[in-house]
Amino acid sequence: MARVVKVFRTLRNHWKKSTFAVCVLSYGGHWLYGKHCDQVMRTEACLEAREYGRQQIAPQEQLRKATVILNPAACGGKANNLFEKNAAPILHLAGVEVTIVKTDYEGQAKKLMELMEHTDMLIVAGGDGTLQEVVTGLLRRPDQEKFSQVPIGFIPLGSQNSLSPSLHLLSDNKVKHITSATLSILKGETIPLDVLQIKGEKEQPVFALLGLRWGAFRDAAATISKYWYLGPLKTKAAHWFSTLREWPLVREASVSYLAPSLRPPDEPLQKPPRPNLLSRIARRLKNYWSPPVEEPPKVEEPEKWMEQQLSTLELMIKTHNKNPVEMRINDSLMICAEPDDLTVGEFITVGSKEEDPTLFTKKSTQLEVGACRLQLPEDTSGFYNIDNEEYEAMPVEVRLLPRKLRFFISAERQGTSVC
């Protein structure tokens, strides 16, 4: 008992050191517990992947080949370590023949896609920039019709992973998010996604899965990192300082657009079974004695472009890929324009929200179109954000490539719909 009293007396006499020690031990214990939970999740994911690796294949079948485009510079240079610890063991245990190609500089992924040979699946391990480069490089190939049939998996390793909520349920734990995304590739469920073809007057087309963003909110967001020293106030400060440099931040543009087209029914993933011999013989005899009447070729009607002048703070041309499981009537893209009469306070409040910046206010003008042409004034300067990658602002034509690429999606995400 005397020893216990002595301990408490020592703690009371040295309360500052005792408080510091308790804080350090509490933080260390929480950190160690987090590491333990991460290791448990990795182990569970590896055990699930091992079951796929134990499945028997026919003698004439070959292992599935996966080409991984890995950007080691993503997530502040941590992407390579994240991939090796969380995703690579799952792929290897599942019996997948993995070829890892690491990028060394910006834009290399586009060039690598030009040289890519046949693969059963393509896996992008990185962020928005890596994914946008891979999609652009893939669809610039002369044989893109063939390679666009290759299913694509996305392992979110970047600082920005805007497509990830469309394919996987979000998790605050990065290890769980990566392992779940990798397991969804093994399970094989895919969903078609639309692609935007964005073409300037001279440049090669750029392809996007989410959209094009241009305006005052985009410009202010690009300067947020400059005010890192302000901590949680850096976002508000970036928008406030942008209003001090210039106000109002109105953008003028002319938009020409086509009406959306009806969405044809989804094509079956598997070919229907071949009819039996008697059915094929009967069909050929029927066609021989009463050949089908050939329909005259359809005359293509000229495209009817409509034009509208927009005065806006922010313009967004986006796909419906944020909610790919939603049933839609039309193949279309959305043009969203923020009103130009926001006050300075409203501009700072809207820009500082932690919500997805591609979700606009209720006051925004929204047009559902099939294709559009964006014309800017001659003295326009600045930049677009195309899937969070920066491109020089210029007149562009945006075409929709409906259901162009197939991406692996988790079963949990496929069963949910985002409002």
Side-chain angles (χ1 to χ4, degrees), residues 7-167:
V7 170
F8 278 102
R9 186 178 299 163
T10 303
L11 293 176
R12 184 188 64 183
N13 294 337
H14 302 279
W15 64 272
K16 293 182 180 178
K17 295 180 181 178
S18 302
T19 303
F20 178 75
V22 168
C23 293
V24 170
L25 290 174
S26 300
Y27 177 80
H30 179 74
W31 182 81
L32 288 174
Y33 179 72
K35 290 293 183 182
H36 169 71
C37 291
D38 290 347
Q39 189 58 41
V40 169
M41 281 186 284
R42 292 189 190 101
T43 303
E44 291 177 352
C46 288
L47 291 175
E48 186 174 349
R50 189 174 63 177
E51 296 302 317
Y52 289 93
R54 287 177 171 177
Q55 294 178 1
Q56 295 184 354
I57 61 175
Q60 66 274 14
E61 292 184 21
Q62 296 181 349
L63 293 177
R64 290 183 297 170
K65 296 181 180 180
T67 301
V68 179
I69 306 297
L70 172 62
N71 180 11
C75 196
K78 300 177 183 178
N80 187 68
N81 186 44
L82 288 172
F83 178 81
E84 293 294 338
K85 291 180 67 175
N86 303 301
I90 296 175
L91 295 174
H92 290 299
L93 284 170
V96 179
E97 185 179 334
V98 182
T99 302
I100 301 176
V101 182
K102 298 181 180 180
T103 59
D104 297 323
Y105 54 87
E106 185 177 352
Q108 188 182 18
K110 297 178 187 176
K111 299 181 179 179
L112 291 173
M113 296 311 298
E114 298 176 0
L115 306 174
M116 186 182 71
E117 298 179 351
H118 173 73
T119 184
D120 296 317
M121 65 182 80
L122 178 62
I123 300 175
V124 182
D128 287 347
T130 311
L131 182 60
Q132 197 265 336
E133 287 185 15
V134 167
V135 170
T136 297
L138 179 67
L139 296 181
R140 282 180 180 176
R141 292 178 61 115
D143 54 351
Q144 55 88 13
E145 288 293 339
K146 171 185 175 184
F147 275 86
S148 61
Q149 303 301 317
V150 176
I152 302 174
F154 180 49
I155 300 178
L157 300 180
S159 54
Q160 289 183 307
N161 308 293
S162 302
L163 189 67
S164 189
S166 305
L167 305 174

Side-chain angles (χ1 to χ4, degrees), residues 308-337:
Q308 182 170 342
Q309 299 294 326
L310 294 177
S311 178
T312 178
L313 282 178
E314 184 89 351
L315 180 69
M316 180 75 185
I317 303 172
K318 60 180 182 178
T319 65
H320 295 275
N321 289 339
K322 277 293 180 183
N323 193 11
V325 298
E326 179 186 19
M327 299 298 294
R328 303 200 307 273
I329 299 175
N330 297 325
D331 276 330
S332 62
L333 53 89
M334 294 297 299
I335 300 177
C336 303

Side-chain angles (χ1 to χ4, degrees), residues 203-257:
E203 303 292 333
Q204 283 187 297
V206 174
F207 297 89
L209 291 166
L210 296 177
L212 178 149
R213 186 181 175 201
W214 173 64
F217 288 108
R218 189 226 76 88
D219 294 343
T223 64
I224 291 176
S225 59
K226 295 181 180 179
Y227 306 103
W228 59 269
Y229 50 85
L230 296 177
L233 298 177
K234 61 184 179 181
T235 303
K236 288 183 179 294
H239 289 80
W240 181 54
F241 285 129
S242 65
T243 62
L244 295 180
R245 287 190 293 268
E246 180 186 356
W247 187 261
L249 300 169
V250 178
R251 303 291 193 271
E252 303 289 342
S254 173
V255 177
S256 303
Y257 58 91

